[in-house]
Amino acid sequence: MIYEVVNAGRSEMTYTVTIGFLAASGGAVDNVTQTVERVAPGATVRRTVRRAEAVGPEATGAKIVKVRSVPSGEAAAEGGPCPPSGVRVWADQGDAAMGLRVVGLHLENCGTGVHRLDGYPLLQLLDEHHSPVSGVRVLHGGADIASGTGADATPAPLALQPGERAVSVLTWRNTTQFGDAVSAPYVRVRAKEGARPVMVIPELDLGTTGKLGVGAWTRDRNR
């Protein structure tokens, strides 16, 4: 499959393209995600996905399922070169069960000095056009969403040495009752006041709940 990414905007963008592969019956086989980095304004970039390499020979067709984009200067990455800020921030794939959503925000000190945190990441919710989403309360902690999500740690100062990591938790429900459901594919994250913004793509399907819980930064003991 060959596809094209066209940047019709005025800023350099990095794209995440999800391709769905189909069996001869028309049923879904699997999805594959590719990242197309640093597409200049007005540029068109062509990419190829080979079915057998991606999901196996049982796939006989493919289609674009979803395209997301972030400003290249705010692109999140778990690996690669360390940003000038000395800090990497990214989101994991999360977990969903019975309408409850939990996504981890991760921060790594990839620099050469100590990186200090104290409290909660600062969040701005954005819609699919990168415009701010209004009417959603960002709550410190997850108690108003659900218990046991990992978002209720007490804020405490952290001093991360080079190579050490911290984690925060986003939690929400996608319950839909009366009113208009809210979706916010993107979240612009600042690890602390004055930090470089990073745009992650947690696909917040907030339903009509109007609230998102965020946990304090805690040391990542799994590192």
Side-chain angles (χ1 to χ4, degrees):
M1 175 184 179
I2 299 174
Y3 65 91
E4 292 182 342
V5 173
V6 180
N7 183 357
R10 299 181 179 180
S11 302
E12 183 183 83
M13 303 294 285
T14 290
Y15 293 83
T16 302
V17 182
T18 302
I19 302 101
F21 286 87
L22 309 174
S25 63
V29 175
D30 201 357
N31 289 341
V32 171
T33 299
Q34 288 193 335
T35 300
V36 184
E37 297 182 341
R38 299 188 174 280
V39 181
T44 297
V45 176
R46 178 174 289 189
R47 290 286 186 267
T48 300
V49 180
R50 293 178 174 83
R51 290 191 294 271
E53 294 177 2
V55 296
E58 68 272 20
T60 60
K63 64 178 181 180
I64 300 295
V65 176
K66 181 171 59 180
V67 179
R68 298 301 189 204
S69 62
V70 302
S72 292
E74 297 183 29
E78 183 176 356
C82 186
S85 64
V87 172
R88 293 193 188 97
V89 176
W90 70 95
D92 60 33
Q93 296 299 307
D95 187 25
M98 299 296 290
L100 177 65
R101 310 287 197 252
V102 179
V103 167
L105 291 178
H106 301 266
L107 179 149
E108 180 182 14
N109 179 3
C110 56
T112 58
V114 176
H115 187 77
R116 300 185 185 277
L117 297 170
D118 188 2
Y120 300 85
L122 306 176
L123 309 180
Q124 182 186 32
L125 279 56
L126 304 172
D127 66 16
E128 62 181 5
H129 305 294
H130 304 113
S131 297
V133 172
S134 60
V136 176
R137 292 180 296 151
V138 178
L139 309 174
H140 285 175
D144 284 353
I145 310 296
S147 60
T149 63
D152 289 320
T154 301
L158 296 178
L160 299 180
Q161 299 295 326
E164 290 187 327
R165 292 182 176 183
V167 61
S168 172
V169 173
L170 303 182
T171 183
W172 72 97
R173 291 191 181 276
N174 73 332
T175 306
T176 300
Q177 295 178 338
F178 298 105
D180 296 326
V182 174
S183 295
Y186 306 100
V187 177
R188 179 172 279 123
V189 180
R190 287 179 171 82
K192 58 184 179 181
E193 194 71 44
R196 180 183 74 94
V198 174
M199 194 180 294
V200 298
I201 314 174
E203 302 287 351
L204 302 179
D205 53 342
L206 297 164
T208 55
T209 61
K211 56 187 178 182
L212 170 71
V214 56
W217 288 115
T218 60
R219 192 176 299 275
D220 189 347
R221 303 293 182 182
N222 296 320
R223 174 62 171 170

